[in-house]
Amino acid sequence: ALDLLLYAHRRNRDPDVLHIARKTLDSMGRGEVFDHEWGGFFRYATQRDWSEPHYEKMLEDNANLLRNVLALYRVTANEEHAEMARRTIAYMERKLRDPARGYFYGSQDADEQFYKLSNEDREKQEEPYIDRTCYTSWNSMAISAYMEASWVLDRLDLRDAAVKALEFLWQQMRAPEGGLNRFQAPDGPPQVPGLLGDQAYGTRALLDAAEVTGDSLWLDRAIELAEFTVERFAHRDGDGGIAGFYDVWDEVAEVGRLRD
């Protein structure tokens, strides 16, 4: 919803839609749903004032909220928004990115008592478990956010980190039949090919990489993945045009294959 509001403001400069997005993100950043010790956003809040959060931290949420905050900062030039973005990145760098292999981890568990501690006291306790699974669509979201942050915040290190993660997805997560698998556990093979979301977010990440780096390799790969997605996921209308996309590819039985 925030992504849509910020996009609408870029299109028509309506101050009301910007106000809605800004009020929400400001309230989240100042409220308990944001971790003021380590940075990053918790999964959700149980109260409408963003208090009493559920303390799990998801890669998906932090990646997409980072893109929201960066888009807001480009409009407002408010240092508070830049700092919210930087602190979200700092958390992702410390806890949700594999520095050796380059990909991003899926999540860090909720622990109400742990997250209520000060930073000094947290350092003395065993921290909540981190799920080190590589989820393709979530990694793609994080890559897109890092690519955007690299030029908005003038951080070339984030571009390099995003490139490393994207190269991991391209080399390790592709299925033999083509397209991207859903996930890979740290010590296992890639699993579950043929889901639409992985192809869609993967293509966007490749396009973002092409735009930010200027390297045509990423554009070539984006075109390859997009053409594969059209070939295997498109729902054709009576005239042969694309009327939408199925949620899974064409190898599964027709039962359970959604095109909503």
Side-chain angles (χ1 to χ4, degrees):
L2 293 171
D3 200 40
L4 177 61
L5 288 166
L6 291 164
Y7 172 76
H9 178 261
R10 290 195 297 274
R11 286 295 301 270
N12 58 28
R13 299 299 172 184
D14 182 342
D16 291 336
V17 296
L18 176 63
H19 171 73
I20 297 169
R22 181 172 185 168
K23 181 176 181 179
T24 300
L25 286 168
D26 283 346
S27 297
M28 293 176 76
R30 296 166 184 166
E32 295 177 22
V33 78
F34 188 80
D35 185 346
H36 294 278
E37 296 291 342
W38 276 4
F41 291 90
F42 297 118
R43 183 72 176 107
Y44 62 84
T46 60
Q47 303 299 317
R48 61 188 298 173
D49 62 355
W50 301 105
S51 64
E52 299 183 26
H54 173 72
Y55 288 95
E56 187 177 18
K57 289 181 179 176
M58 309 289 292
L59 175 62
E60 176 187 25
D61 298 325
N62 281 280
N64 286 324
L65 282 163
L66 174 57
R67 289 182 71 243
N68 291 159
V69 173
L70 291 167
L72 180 64
Y73 173 61
R74 292 204 307 274
V75 176
T76 66
N78 187 310
E79 181 59 25
E80 181 182 358
H81 301 145
E83 185 63 14
M84 198 190 315
R86 284 192 287 264
R87 297 205 65 206
T88 302
I89 292 166
Y91 169 74
M92 293 170 69
E93 282 291 287
R94 287 199 313 273
K95 301 299 180 182
L96 293 185
R97 191 167 74 85
D98 187 310
R101 304 180 74 188
Y103 72 88
F104 293 87
Y105 303 143
S107 63
Q108 186 168 25
D109 276 0
D111 186 329
E112 182 175 355
Q113 299 308 314
F114 179 87
Y115 283 113
K116 288 182 176 180
L117 298 173
S118 67
N119 187 46
E120 182 179 352
D121 290 334
R122 278 188 201 183
E123 298 296 336
K124 303 172 186 176
Q125 304 294 323
E126 182 177 355
E127 68 179 69
Y129 171 79
I130 295 174
D131 175 11
R132 289 174 168 79
T133 302
C134 173
Y135 295 95
T136 295
S137 62
W138 296 358
N139 264 262
S140 298
M141 295 170 192
I143 290 164
S144 290
Y146 264 48
M147 285 292 180
E148 188 168 342
S150 71
W151 58 268
V152 174
L153 301 177
D154 194 21
R155 291 271 305 272
L156 292 181
D157 61 309
L158 300 179
R159 181 197 64 186
D160 295 341
V163 165
K164 188 173 183 178
L166 190 54
E167 188 65 28
F168 179 89
L169 293 187
W170 189 258
Q171 298 299 335
Q172 301 296 323
M173 300 301 291
R174 281 186 297 161
E177 308 89 336
L180 297 170
N181 280 282
R182 170 64 180 151
F183 72 91
Q184 180 180 4
D187 298 321
Q191 298 186 57
V192 189
L195 299 182
L196 177 63
D198 299 317
Q199 323 313 317
Y201 287 110
T203 301
R204 186 178 72 177
L206 290 163
L207 288 171
D208 289 339
E211 185 174 17
V212 172
T213 67
D215 189 341
S216 61
L217 170 68
W218 301 114
L219 181 59
D220 293 340
R221 290 175 174 179
I223 293 170
E224 178 184 331
L225 186 55
E227 289 178 341
F228 171 83
T229 304
V230 169
E231 177 186 352
R232 301 297 293 273
F233 292 84
H235 167 59
R236 302 286 180 175
D237 60 24
D239 298 323
I242 297 176
F245 291 86
Y246 290 100
D247 64 330
V248 294
W249 66 7
D250 56 8
E251 288 194 0
V252 301
E254 197 64 32
V255 175
R257 192 173 185 226
L258 305 178
R259 63 173 185 257
D260 293 344

mmCIF file of all heavy atoms in Angstrom, residues 169-191:
data_model
loop_
_atom_site.group_PDB
_atom_site.id
_atom_site.type_symbol
_atom_site.label_atom_id
_atom_site.label_comp_id
_atom_site.label_asym_id
_atom_site.label_seq_id
_atom_site.Cartn_x
_atom_site.Cartn_y
_atom_site.Cartn_z
ATOM 1 N N LEU A 169 22.057 -15.993 -6.755
ATOM 2 C CA LEU A 169 20.758 -16.485 -7.224
ATOM 3 C C LEU A 169 20.869 -17.047 -8.632
ATOM 4 O O LEU A 169 20.311 -18.108 -8.932
ATOM 5 C CB LEU A 169 19.728 -15.348 -7.216
ATOM 6 C CG LEU A 169 19.306 -14.765 -5.867
ATOM 7 C CD1 LEU A 169 18.154 -13.781 -6.072
ATOM 8 C CD2 LEU A 169 18.898 -15.843 -4.876
ATOM 9 N N TRP A 170 21.577 -16.343 -9.500
ATOM 10 C CA TRP A 170 21.646 -16.772 -10.897
ATOM 11 C C TRP A 170 22.422 -18.083 -11.051
ATOM 12 O O TRP A 170 22.062 -18.949 -11.842
ATOM 13 C CB TRP A 170 22.271 -15.675 -11.753
ATOM 14 C CG TRP A 170 22.168 -15.958 -13.218
ATOM 15 C CD1 TRP A 170 23.139 -16.420 -14.049
ATOM 16 C CD2 TRP A 170 20.990 -15.826 -14.022
ATOM 17 N NE1 TRP A 170 22.651 -16.582 -15.325
ATOM 18 C CE2 TRP A 170 21.336 -16.220 -15.340
ATOM 19 C CE3 TRP A 170 19.686 -15.403 -13.758
ATOM 20 C CZ2 TRP A 170 20.415 -16.201 -16.394
ATOM 21 C CZ3 TRP A 170 18.766 -15.384 -14.806
ATOM 22 C CH2 TRP A 170 19.134 -15.779 -16.100
ATOM 23 N N GLN A 171 23.480 -18.225 -10.270
ATOM 24 C CA GLN A 171 24.317 -19.414 -10.405
ATOM 25 C C GLN A 171 23.794 -20.611 -9.608
ATOM 26 O O GLN A 171 23.952 -21.761 -10.039
ATOM 27 C CB GLN A 171 25.753 -19.101 -9.959
ATOM 28 C CG GLN A 171 26.444 -18.032 -10.778
ATOM 29 C CD GLN A 171 26.591 -18.394 -12.246
ATOM 30 O OE1 GLN A 171 26.616 -19.575 -12.629
ATOM 31 N NE2 GLN A 171 26.672 -17.376 -13.098
ATOM 32 N N GLN A 172 23.161 -20.350 -8.457
ATOM 33 C CA GLN A 172 22.802 -21.443 -7.543
ATOM 34 C C GLN A 172 21.320 -21.791 -7.529
ATOM 35 O O GLN A 172 20.958 -22.924 -7.191
ATOM 36 C CB GLN A 172 23.232 -21.076 -6.115
ATOM 37 C CG GLN A 172 24.708 -20.813 -5.952
ATOM 38 C CD GLN A 172 25.555 -22.039 -6.219
ATOM 39 O OE1 GLN A 172 25.168 -23.161 -5.883
ATOM 40 N NE2 GLN A 172 26.710 -21.841 -6.828
ATOM 41 N N MET A 173 20.452 -20.861 -7.878
ATOM 42 C CA MET A 173 19.021 -21.079 -7.666
ATOM 43 C C MET A 173 18.240 -21.399 -8.937
ATOM 44 O O MET A 173 17.039 -21.631 -8.873
ATOM 45 C CB MET A 173 18.404 -19.840 -6.995
ATOM 46 C CG MET A 173 19.013 -19.507 -5.645
ATOM 47 S SD MET A 173 18.871 -20.857 -4.443
ATOM 48 C CE MET A 173 17.098 -20.849 -4.153
ATOM 49 N N ARG A 174 18.887 -21.426 -10.080
ATOM 50 C CA ARG A 174 18.153 -21.746 -11.299
ATOM 51 C C ARG A 174 17.866 -23.234 -11.380
ATOM 52 O O ARG A 174 18.692 -24.076 -11.028
ATOM 53 C CB ARG A 174 18.934 -21.295 -12.532
ATOM 54 C CG ARG A 174 18.806 -19.805 -12.806
ATOM 55 C CD ARG A 174 19.465 -19.421 -14.110
ATOM 56 N NE ARG A 174 20.900 -19.679 -14.076
ATOM 57 C CZ ARG A 174 21.661 -19.781 -15.158
ATOM 58 N NH1 ARG A 174 21.122 -19.672 -16.361
ATOM 59 N NH2 ARG A 174 22.957 -19.990 -15.040
ATOM 60 N N ALA A 175 16.684 -23.563 -11.878
ATOM 61 C CA ALA A 175 16.266 -24.948 -12.060
ATOM 62 C C ALA A 175 16.779 -25.467 -13.399
ATOM 63 O O ALA A 175 16.959 -24.691 -14.344
ATOM 64 C CB ALA A 175 14.739 -25.042 -12.010
ATOM 65 N N PRO A 176 17.012 -26.780 -13.514
ATOM 66 C CA PRO A 176 17.463 -27.331 -14.796
ATOM 67 C C PRO A 176 16.500 -27.026 -15.946
ATOM 68 O O PRO A 176 16.916 -26.866 -17.093
ATOM 69 C CB PRO A 176 17.533 -28.839 -14.520
ATOM 70 C CG PRO A 176 17.710 -28.958 -13.045
ATOM 71 C CD PRO A 176 16.937 -27.806 -12.463
ATOM 72 N N GLU A 177 15.208 -26.952 -15.642
ATOM 73 C CA GLU A 177 14.208 -26.676 -16.673
ATOM 74 C C GLU A 177 14.175 -25.198 -17.054
ATOM 75 O O GLU A 177 13.488 -24.806 -17.996
ATOM 76 C CB GLU A 177 12.818 -27.088 -16.179
ATOM 77 C CG GLU A 177 12.724 -28.518 -15.652
ATOM 78 C CD GLU A 177 13.023 -28.626 -14.159
ATOM 79 O OE1 GLU A 177 13.732 -27.732 -13.621
ATOM 80 O OE2 GLU A 177 12.574 -29.608 -13.546
ATOM 81 N N GLY A 178 14.884 -24.366 -16.306
ATOM 82 C CA GLY A 178 14.831 -22.930 -16.498
ATOM 83 C C GLY A 178 14.079 -22.271 -15.360
ATOM 84 O O GLY A 178 13.312 -22.916 -14.634
ATOM 85 N N GLY A 179 14.262 -20.977 -15.193
ATOM 86 C CA GLY A 179 13.603 -20.269 -14.100
ATOM 87 C C GLY A 179 14.323 -20.487 -12.789
ATOM 88 O O GLY A 179 15.325 -21.199 -12.695
ATOM 89 N N LEU A 180 13.784 -19.872 -11.735
ATOM 90 C CA LEU A 180 14.414 -19.865 -10.420
ATOM 91 C C LEU A 180 13.655 -20.732 -9.440
ATOM 92 O O LEU A 180 12.415 -20.729 -9.402
ATOM 93 C CB LEU A 180 14.472 -18.433 -9.882
ATOM 94 C CG LEU A 180 15.313 -17.453 -10.708
ATOM 95 C CD1 LEU A 180 15.088 -16.023 -10.222
ATOM 96 C CD2 LEU A 180 16.790 -17.804 -10.651
ATOM 97 N N ASN A 181 14.390 -21.497 -8.632
ATOM 98 C CA ASN A 181 13.801 -22.265 -7.545
ATOM 99 C C ASN A 181 13.350 -21.340 -6.417
ATOM 100 O O ASN A 181 13.767 -20.182 -6.316
ATOM 101 C CB ASN A 181 14.816 -23.261 -6.995
ATOM 102 C CG ASN A 181 14.928 -24.504 -7.840
ATOM 103 O OD1 ASN A 181 14.084 -25.392 -7.767
ATOM 104 N ND2 ASN A 181 15.979 -24.573 -8.649
ATOM 105 N N ARG A 182 12.518 -21.897 -5.530
ATOM 106 C CA ARG A 182 11.949 -21.111 -4.432
ATOM 107 C C ARG A 182 12.941 -20.852 -3.302
ATOM 108 O O ARG A 182 13.076 -19.728 -2.835
ATOM 109 C CB ARG A 182 10.710 -21.842 -3.878
ATOM 110 C CG ARG A 182 10.136 -21.283 -2.586
ATOM 111 C CD ARG A 182 9.619 -19.889 -2.754
ATOM 112 N NE ARG A 182 9.073 -19.355 -1.518
ATOM 113 C CZ ARG A 182 9.073 -18.058 -1.205
ATOM 114 N NH1 ARG A 182 9.590 -17.180 -2.037
ATOM 115 N NH2 ARG A 182 8.559 -17.636 -0.074
ATOM 116 N N PHE A 183 13.650 -21.896 -2.818
ATOM 117 C CA PHE A 183 14.512 -21.710 -1.657
ATOM 118 C C PHE A 183 15.633 -22.731 -1.652
ATOM 119 O O PHE A 183 15.585 -23.749 -2.346
ATOM 120 C CB PHE A 183 13.720 -21.801 -0.347
ATOM 121 C CG PHE A 183 13.256 -23.191 0.006
ATOM 122 C CD1 PHE A 183 14.047 -24.026 0.788
ATOM 123 C CD2 PHE A 183 12.036 -23.672 -0.438
ATOM 124 C CE1 PHE A 183 13.621 -25.315 1.119
ATOM 125 C CE2 PHE A 183 11.603 -24.954 -0.115
ATOM 126 C CZ PHE A 183 12.399 -25.768 0.665
ATOM 127 N N GLN A 184 16.634 -22.441 -0.830
ATOM 128 C CA GLN A 184 17.727 -23.363 -0.600
ATOM 129 C C GLN A 184 18.164 -23.246 0.852
ATOM 130 O O GLN A 184 18.524 -22.160 1.307
ATOM 131 C CB GLN A 184 18.916 -23.070 -1.520
ATOM 132 C CG GLN A 184 20.088 -24.019 -1.321
ATOM 133 C CD GLN A 184 21.260 -23.713 -2.244
ATOM 134 O OE1 GLN A 184 21.238 -22.743 -2.993
ATOM 135 N NE2 GLN A 184 22.296 -24.528 -2.187
ATOM 136 N N ALA A 185 18.123 -24.370 1.577
ATOM 137 C CA ALA A 185 18.653 -24.404 2.935
ATOM 138 C C ALA A 185 20.178 -24.316 2.869
ATOM 139 O O ALA A 185 20.779 -24.634 1.829
ATOM 140 C CB ALA A 185 18.215 -25.677 3.646
ATOM 141 N N PRO A 186 20.834 -23.894 3.961
ATOM 142 C CA PRO A 186 22.288 -23.697 3.912
ATOM 143 C C PRO A 186 23.077 -24.912 3.443
ATOM 144 O O PRO A 186 24.085 -24.772 2.756
ATOM 145 C CB PRO A 186 22.632 -23.335 5.360
ATOM 146 C CG PRO A 186 21.388 -22.744 5.916
ATOM 147 C CD PRO A 186 20.268 -23.478 5.256
ATOM 148 N N ASP A 187 22.615 -26.108 3.798
ATOM 149 C CA ASP A 187 23.371 -27.320 3.461
ATOM 150 C C ASP A 187 22.617 -28.233 2.497
ATOM 151 O O ASP A 187 22.920 -29.425 2.404
ATOM 152 C CB ASP A 187 23.695 -28.102 4.740
ATOM 153 C CG ASP A 187 24.567 -27.295 5.697
ATOM 154 O OD1 ASP A 187 25.466 -26.597 5.211
ATOM 155 O OD2 ASP A 187 24.320 -27.362 6.912
ATOM 156 N N GLY A 188 21.644 -27.673 1.773
ATOM 157 C CA GLY A 188 20.858 -28.503 0.882
ATOM 158 C C GLY A 188 20.814 -27.967 -0.528
ATOM 159 O O GLY A 188 21.345 -26.898 -0.828
ATOM 160 N N PRO A 189 20.158 -28.699 -1.422
ATOM 161 C CA PRO A 189 20.037 -28.249 -2.807
ATOM 162 C C PRO A 189 18.879 -27.267 -2.966
ATOM 163 O O PRO A 189 17.996 -27.192 -2.105
ATOM 164 C CB PRO A 189 19.742 -29.559 -3.552
ATOM 165 C CG PRO A 189 18.972 -30.368 -2.545
ATOM 166 C CD PRO A 189 19.573 -30.029 -1.205
ATOM 167 N N PRO A 190 18.839 -26.506 -4.042
ATOM 168 C CA PRO A 190 17.687 -25.653 -4.332
ATOM 169 C C PRO A 190 16.424 -26.501 -4.489
ATOM 170 O O PRO A 190 16.476 -27.609 -5.028
ATOM 171 C CB PRO A 190 18.062 -24.961 -5.646
ATOM 172 C CG PRO A 190 19.535 -25.098 -5.746
ATOM 173 C CD PRO A 190 19.892 -26.372 -5.067
ATOM 174 N N GLN A 191 15.299 -25.984 -4.032
ATOM 175 C CA GLN A 191 14.056 -26.747 -4.056
ATOM 176 C C GLN A 191 12.888 -25.891 -4.538
ATOM 177 O O GLN A 191 12.920 -24.673 -4.453
ATOM 178 C CB GLN A 191 13.738 -27.286 -2.653
ATOM 179 C CG GLN A 191 14.777 -28.243 -2.113
ATOM 180 C CD GLN A 191 14.357 -28.871 -0.801
ATOM 181 O OE1 GLN A 191 13.304 -29.503 -0.708
ATOM 182 N NE2 GLN A 191 15.170 -28.686 0.223
#
